[in-house]
Amino acid sequence: MAKKKTLLQKLAGTGPSLFSNQWLEQYAAICFRPGDRPGDYEVMLITARGSGRWVLPKGGPMKDRTPRQVAAQEAFEEAGVKGKVGKAPLGRYCYVKRLETGQSAPCIVEVFSLEHSETVPSFKEMGQREIRWVKLCEAGRLVEEPELRGIFLALDDRLKSRDDKAR
């Protein structure tokens, strides 16, 4: 069985675009909701259509939309989730995106929180992906990107702080 490549190995394979201005830009949403017990939260992960990896809903820039609006739109189109989007990004992470041409390109993703308020029964990419709500503390084990794991921890800290202030 072949050993999985690390993020650095994948980035190195993108060639000259890694060291140029050819990085792609995307915006993602970490959709979250309260868990079973007070102080616990769940986040939503979806599968990538090509690889089946666990990822966040995300997409590229859209005309006449801010990055946070793009993140919200992608959550709705890819998983049917609506909610309140954070005004400032939680952070950024990098990954290697496989293009339709078969080539790969480095991509930087700006991540926004989205507090779940509703899941609609029908949405654009319904049936194209698996959707799973997992405990926030477990989400980092399911994704490949190390920087994204750190963003999950930052969201957990932010939510705990918010809960403490509400008490």
Side-chain angles (χ1 to χ4, degrees):
M1 177 185 247
K3 188 177 177 185
K4 280 180 115 177
K5 288 184 177 181
T6 66
L7 175 62
L8 287 177
Q9 289 169 325
K10 290 178 185 178
L11 284 171
T14 63
S17 62
L18 179 62
F19 302 104
S20 70
N21 289 332
Q22 297 177 20
W23 282 67
L24 299 176
E25 195 175 326
Q26 290 186 316
Y27 307 105
I30 294 182
C31 304
F32 70 94
R33 66 184 184 190
D36 296 337
R37 296 186 317 224
D40 281 351
Y41 289 90
E42 296 178 329
V43 294
M44 185 197 63
L45 297 175
I46 61 174
T47 52
R49 285 185 290 195
S51 66
R53 294 181 309 112
W54 289 109
V55 297
L56 298 176
K58 62 186 172 303
M62 295 178 187
K63 188 177 179 176
D64 299 326
R65 300 243 173 160
T66 65
R68 63 191 287 264
Q69 289 171 328
V70 171
Q73 181 69 33
E74 294 299 329
F76 180 72
E77 288 180 4
E78 295 180 5
V81 172
K82 291 182 177 184
K84 181 180 178 185
V85 183
K87 290 185 176 151
L90 291 170
R92 293 170 186 79
Y93 71 93
C94 301
Y95 81 104
V96 177
K97 180 173 179 62
R98 279 198 200 105
L99 305 174
E100 291 178 3
T101 62
Q103 294 187 321
S104 297
C107 186
I108 189 158
V109 183
E110 194 166 56
V111 181
F112 294 85
S113 63
L114 187 147
E115 189 165 10
H116 174 271
S117 63
E118 176 185 4
T119 302
V120 299
S122 180
F123 51 93
K124 185 176 181 180
E125 295 186 17
M126 188 170 180
Q128 297 180 28
R129 304 169 183 276
E130 186 177 337
I131 299 169
R132 184 182 295 174
W133 287 92
V134 299
K135 291 183 179 182
L136 179 53
C137 62
E138 296 173 2
R141 289 188 279 250
L142 296 173
V143 298
E144 286 185 8
E145 300 81 8
E147 297 157 309
L148 182 52
R149 293 180 189 128
I151 295 170
F152 285 130
L153 292 173
L155 177 60
D156 190 41
D157 288 344
R158 186 175 289 187
L159 292 172
K160 284 178 182 173
S161 176
R162 182 181 83 169
D163 290 348
D164 288 343
K165 288 177 185 174
R167 288 184 198 145

